[in-house]
């Protein structure tokens, strides 16, 4: 390689680095601003812990972009879909929209399914996680998990397998059926267990946006580490409330 080509390559490499750095800076800066669009009726709930609280299991930039960009976009797009719809529909909770998707006008049904699902699933997801999480479930939930799945380890094995098997983007869940039994299931995209009549208690987001910055293609490592930040007290309370 002659000197001129070497200089050219170094110049190109640093230009690439600059572009990358400016993209990174702009995404972090932009993460603190709300996306443009309608501001209601659905709103982005604030995270109840700092974006870097789940380190080393989930990194800060992943949490920032996941909450401030991805979740915010689901909320914005859901609100946009509801513009001009009857007031009764606009005022319907996201839970009820997803439970009764067939009552949603066909023209916006897919938008509500995807973005309402995205809003509901992520609102639940942030609460399922805690820097003080991990360990194992307690109380009646622990008893039922033990009975249903033959112990916590077997449960997490099946839950992990369901999460690993999701092809492309989706979620794996621990859900409560209408008969109040526990099941492990998965859904594609942002589909919610609510739309199939189940009630999600615990869910793992296996869209690449949930883990790719730290884990790249190692989804199995993300799934294993997810166990260390599950807020079991929250899941247990959700289960007990759903039983009664
Ligand atoms: Mn997500």
């Amino acid at each position: 390689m002659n000197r001129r080509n070497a200089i050219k390559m170094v110049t190109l490499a640093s230009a690439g680095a600059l572009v990358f750095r400016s993209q990174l800076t702009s995404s972090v800066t932009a993460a603190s601003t709300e996306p443009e669009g309608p501001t209601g009726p659905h709103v982005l709930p604030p995270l109840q812990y700092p974006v870097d609280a789940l380190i080393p299991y989930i990194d800060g930039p992943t949490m920032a972009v996941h909450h401030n960009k991805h979740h915010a976009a689901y909320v914005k797009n859901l609100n946009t879909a509801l513009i001009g719809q009857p007031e009764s529909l606009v005022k319907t909770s996201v839970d009820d929209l997803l439970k009764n998707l067939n009552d949603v006008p066909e023209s916006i049904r897919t938008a509500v399914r995807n973005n309402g699902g995205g809003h509901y699933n992520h609102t639940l997801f942030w609460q399922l996680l805690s820097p003080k999480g991990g360990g194992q479930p307690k109380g009646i939930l622990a008893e039922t998990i033990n009975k249903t799945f033959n112990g916590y380890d077997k449960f997490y094995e099946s839950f992990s397998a369901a999460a690993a098997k999701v092809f492309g983007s989706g979620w794996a869940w621990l859900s409560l059926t209408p008969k109040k039994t526990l099941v492990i299931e998965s859904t594609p995209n942002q589909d919610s267990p609510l739309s199939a009549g189940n009630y999600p208690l615990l869910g793992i987001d296996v869209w690449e946006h949930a883990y790719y910055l730290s884990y790249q293609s190692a989804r199995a490592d993300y799934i294993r580490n997810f166990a260390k930040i599950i807020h079991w007290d929250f899941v247990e309370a959700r289960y007990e409330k759903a039983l009664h």
Side-chain angles (χ1 to χ4, degrees):
M1 185 189 298
N2 65 32
R3 193 177 135 79
R4 186 185 293 173
N5 276 349
I7 289 170
K8 204 165 146 195
M9 277 195 68
V10 169
T11 313
L12 282 174
S14 43
L18 271 178
V19 168
F20 179 69
R21 199 176 325 145
S22 70
Q23 277 170 351
L24 209 64
T25 311
S26 68
S27 76
V28 169
T29 313
S32 57
T33 58
E34 294 290 321
E36 285 172 32
T39 54
H42 300 279
V43 293
L44 178 68
L47 266 189
Q48 296 301 307
Y49 41 79
V51 292
D52 57 2
L54 303 176
I55 290 173
Y57 307 117
I58 302 180
D59 65 84
T62 292
M63 288 297 288
V65 172
H66 200 175
H67 178 263
N68 297 329
K69 291 291 185 181
H70 291 281
H71 188 171
Y74 297 126
V75 173
K76 185 193 101 174
N77 294 336
L78 175 61
N79 288 330
T80 301
L82 291 169
I83 290 174
Q85 293 297 322
E87 203 184 337
S88 59
L89 195 70
V90 173
K91 285 189 168 167
T92 302
S93 70
V94 69
D95 309 42
D96 286 338
L97 287 174
L98 295 169
K99 280 181 201 163
N100 307 293
L101 273 179
N102 285 336
D103 296 344
V104 174
E106 212 179 332
S107 59
I108 62 163
R109 197 175 297 152
T110 301
V112 168
R113 176 177 174 173
N114 291 338
N115 296 292
H119 177 33
Y120 180 89
N121 293 342
H122 287 86
T123 300
L124 175 58
F125 188 69
W126 311 129
Q127 299 174 83
L128 293 170
L129 300 174
S130 165
K132 292 175 185 159
Q136 295 193 5
K138 285 173 260 171
I140 182 160
L141 178 61
E143 279 173 37
T144 317
I145 283 178
N146 287 342
K147 246 186 285 175
T148 310
F149 303 105
N150 231 344
Y152 171 83
D153 289 345
K154 287 262 165 54
F155 152 73
Y156 204 77
E157 217 173 90
S158 304
F159 182 74
S160 301
K165 264 193 288 194
V166 172
F167 183 73
S169 299
W171 294 70
W173 305 96
L174 172 67
S175 301
L176 197 60
T177 68
K179 290 186 171 168
K180 309 284 185 192
T181 57
L182 295 180
V183 285
I184 289 167
E185 60 180 340
S186 64
T187 57
N189 306 313
Q190 293 297 352
D191 286 0
S192 167
L194 289 179
S195 302
N198 286 345
Y199 182 72
L201 298 173
L202 172 71
I204 180 169
D205 185 348
V206 289
W207 283 57
E208 285 184 344
H209 68 221
Y211 63 87
Y212 208 83
L213 286 183
S214 288
Y215 294 93
Q216 280 91 52
S217 62
R219 188 193 282 187
D221 293 344
Y222 160 67
I223 295 168
R224 191 177 319 110
N225 280 337
F226 182 82
K228 296 168 187 163
I229 42 175
I230 297 174
H231 191 185
W232 280 113
D233 290 346
F234 172 84
V235 181
E236 155 89 9
R238 187 172 169 86
Y239 175 61
E240 289 197 12
K241 205 171 153 198
L243 282 182
H244 302 121

